[in-house]
Amino acid sequence: MSRCYAWIVAGALCLAGLFAAPPARADDISAAGRGVVRIVTIAVMDDEVVGFGHGSGFAVAPNRIVTNAHVVEAAARYPGNVVIGVVPSEGDKSFQGRLIAVDPERDLALIEFDGPGLPPLTLFTGPPGDGSEAVALGYPGNVDLATARSAADFITPVSPVRTQGNFSGLRTLAGTMVILHTANIARGNSGGPLLDRCGRVLGVNSALTRADDGDAGFGFAVANSELTGFLRGAGQKVATVASTCVGIEEQLAQTRDADARAAAEAIAAERARLSRAASEREAAIEEARASNEEVRENFIAGAAVLLVLGAMAVGGAGLLETRGRRRPAIWSAAGGGVLMIGAVALFLLRPDFDASAAVPEPAEPAPAPVAATPQGRLICTLQPERSRVTVSTSGDVELDWREDGCVNGRTQYVRAGTGWQRVLVPDEEQTVSVLDFTPASGVYVNTRYLLSAAQMAEARRLRGARDGRQCDGDAGAQSALADSQNAIRAALPPLPNEKLVYTCKPAPAGAR
């Protein structure tokens, strides 16, 4: 049995170079396709291959595959005489699998294999919208029959076939909840995923309707409610997400629009403030002008009264002089002179109106206090309205930040613009994450690219031996790390698959 399987695998390795899949496009469906596999069953009797079948499956954990129970029915019935082959969509090897759980009622099975882990797919647990896009990935047998030249071709890694349709509703099929859809599937698609346009699993393709006499063809996929129940019973954890699917271009456009609206609102608010201040100052000026006019008129009236009294006193002095009363005449004339001088002085001292002196120009508003740069343990909370989440969990992220760019005591960030940046290229996962943190605003952004094996190999080559996980305050070391990160960023696709935006605040005292 094992010798036959090894012989077939060896033949596949010889032809792998001829049938290597072209680089997948940098989109969500292609990213999900890297976790889709072909399932091959080989029946062996006396070291001879006597039966052959195949279907599709997808990873729910790095080394765990979901498929239909009917795809591996022979292996479940004759475990000692049937080999299960797991053929990834990338690479140059296939692997032998073993059946670890099967549910014929739900038509689901779980397979485990040894070998390099695959990118697990994420299940969408929200309600699909009527008429929403649905994409089937798998290995339809009619395509294989048209293109395969030997049995070895069936265990040669090749990218899955993509077909697109729409969600058409939920139905019950033989007591199992299924999704009805219009994505074209064929024999061989069984066990493959039905995805939304963000690459999240809606269900497991399992059957199709007859399309005789021009009838429309429909596909059936075992719904996620059934799949999660099956996996729970098998003790298998799986990633789930319920966020609405939004295209990355749409999300980036929404972010730009939100930023533009915020800027426009800030400008409008400042204009309204200035207009309100101008109106208030004009009203204050008018009030001050009216008050000034009243005081000025009082000064002029007082000067007139003093002038009249002074004139009367001088006239009285002349009358006293004619009557020979010289001393009283002198005092009267002196008093009159003083009164007339006072009248002139009062007139000259009448207040003029100076608007800028009466109502000074408003002072420039004091700048907003600058928030203290956070340091130490931070709790970062996702901002859903500014994020695009397709396959990641959306829980809080904890950071232990130091002002020299050291995070969690082990990961070095480098300066980038007004903040700090780290490009993470892991050894196992097929994901490159660009992490940005701006201490002044407390904004932390995780931009994720789900890449092909070839793209990951190039990113790891550019990363070199140093991956930025060791804190190093040396300027030369940080400069070299920055150069490496810039090279990696230049090699990434134009658009990411996810963008997670967080707001970070100091962790509560005593929190763990």
Side-chain angles (χ1 to χ4, degrees):
M1 176 179 64
S2 59
R3 289 200 302 273
C4 291
Y5 181 76
W7 175 84
I8 295 174
V9 171
L13 294 177
C14 293
L15 297 174
L18 297 176
F19 292 91
R25 291 180 294 165
D27 61 18
D28 299 321
I29 303 302
S30 291
R34 294 168 199 132
V36 176
V37 301
R38 188 200 304 268
I39 302 296
V40 178
T41 57
I42 306 166
V44 180
M45 187 71 66
D46 297 329
D47 287 341
E48 294 291 333
V49 175
V50 296
F52 181 84
H54 83 279
S56 304
F58 60 92
V60 291
N63 295 95
R64 295 282 181 91
I65 303 296
V66 160
T67 188
N68 283 143
H70 74 259
V71 171
V72 292
E73 179 183 8
R77 187 176 301 176
Y78 309 108
N81 298 93
V82 177
V83 175
I84 300 175
V86 176
V87 188
S89 62
E90 295 184 313
D92 56 5
K93 293 182 179 179
S94 55
F95 305 92
Q96 187 167 350
R98 54 189 175 275
L99 190 61
I100 60 174
V102 63
D103 185 341
E105 298 298 324
R106 290 187 171 114
D107 194 16
L108 293 171
L110 187 63
I111 297 169
E112 186 175 64
F113 72 97
D114 296 323
L118 298 177
L121 275 65
T122 296
L123 275 57
F124 176 63
T125 57
D130 289 339
S132 58
E133 293 181 27
V135 178
L137 287 182
Y139 296 90
N142 50 3
V143 173
D144 290 332
L145 290 174
T147 58
R149 294 295 177 264
S150 70
D153 290 347
F154 285 88
I155 55 172
T156 298
V158 65
S159 59
V161 175
R162 175 194 308 204
T163 58
Q164 185 167 318
N166 298 95
F167 170 78
S168 301
L170 293 171
R171 295 290 187 274
T172 300
L173 183 65
T176 297
M177 183 64 65
V178 295
I179 293 173
L180 187 65
H181 65 87
T182 60
N184 288 328
I185 59 175
R187 294 179 180 88
N189 277 105
S190 293
L194 181 71
L195 309 171
D196 67 7
R197 64 189 180 100
C198 284
R200 291 92 61 91
V201 176
L202 298 173
V204 185
N205 285 313
S206 60
L208 65 159
T209 61
R210 296 173 62 96
D212 297 336
D213 301 324
D215 289 342
F218 290 90
F220 294 101
V222 179
N224 278 347
S225 58
E226 303 282 0
L227 176 57
T228 53
F230 166 69
L231 293 174
R232 187 166 50 248
Q236 177 60 55
K237 295 181 179 180
V238 64
T240 61
V241 66
S243 57
T244 303
C245 177
V246 178
I248 184 63
E249 298 91 341
E250 182 181 352
Q251 178 61 47
L252 294 176
Q254 289 177 358
T255 300
R256 288 192 297 269
D257 291 345
D259 291 341
R261 284 195 301 271
E265 289 171 359
I267 292 174
E270 179 63 12
R271 286 176 176 171
R273 184 189 70 80
L274 293 175
S275 176
R276 185 168 57 253
S279 298
E280 292 173 354
R281 184 169 185 272
E282 188 64 31
I285 288 174
E286 290 302 319
E287 183 178 352
R289 191 192 305 278
S291 177
N292 175 270
E293 288 294 331
E294 183 178 353
V295 173
R296 183 181 175 86
E297 289 174 359
N298 289 338
F299 267 65
I300 294 174
V305 170
L306 291 178
L307 184 62
V308 170
L309 292 177
M312 291 177 63
V314 171
L319 181 61
L320 292 173
E321 180 69 26
T322 58
R323 293 180 179 179
R325 301 178 61 185
R326 185 170 182 78
R327 181 176 291 277
I330 293 173
W331 282 107
S332 179
V338 170
L339 290 173
M340 296 180 71
I341 292 172
V344 172
L346 195 60
F347 181 79
L348 293 177
L349 291 176
R350 70 191 186 283
D352 292 325
F353 182 70
D354 183 354
S356 59
V359 183
E361 290 283 349
E364 288 293 326
V370 178
T373 300
Q375 290 192 47
R377 291 188 62 248
L378 307 174
I379 301 296
C380 303
T381 304
L382 186 75
Q383 299 181 32
E385 70 282 358
R386 297 180 62 85
S387 302
R388 196 223 182 195
V389 182
T390 59
V391 298
S392 296
T393 58
S394 55
D396 291 347
V397 173
E398 292 191 20
L399 297 180
D400 192 346
W401 175 259
R402 278 189 354 205
E403 63 180 1
D404 61 356
C406 180
V407 175
N408 298 333
R410 63 179 182 271
T411 303
Q412 183 63 55
Y413 282 48
V414 297
R415 289 191 178 276
T418 59
W420 296 76
Q421 186 178 93
R422 163 196 172 185
V423 178
L424 174 62
V425 182
D427 288 324
E428 274 76 33
E429 298 179 14
Q430 288 189 210
T431 303
V432 170
S433 296
V434 180
L435 309 175
D436 292 277
F437 181 55
T438 306
S441 62
V443 174
Y444 174 72
V445 181
N446 182 355
T447 306
R448 303 184 73 229
Y449 298 80
L450 310 181
L451 304 182
S452 68
Q455 289 170 321
M456 284 302 303
E458 175 63 11
R460 291 178 185 125
R461 185 190 69 80
L462 294 171
R463 180 199 67 189
R466 182 185 178 93
D467 62 4
R469 296 192 185 186
Q470 302 83 23
C471 288
D472 193 339
D474 178 70
Q478 291 198 15
S479 177
L481 179 58
D483 291 342
S484 171
Q485 294 192 158
N486 290 336
I488 296 168
R489 291 206 62 177
L492 293 174
L495 293 174
N497 296 90
E498 290 190 307
K499 185 173 184 180
L500 287 65
V501 181
Y502 299 83
T503 299
C504 301
K505 297 182 179 179
R512 292 291 180 185

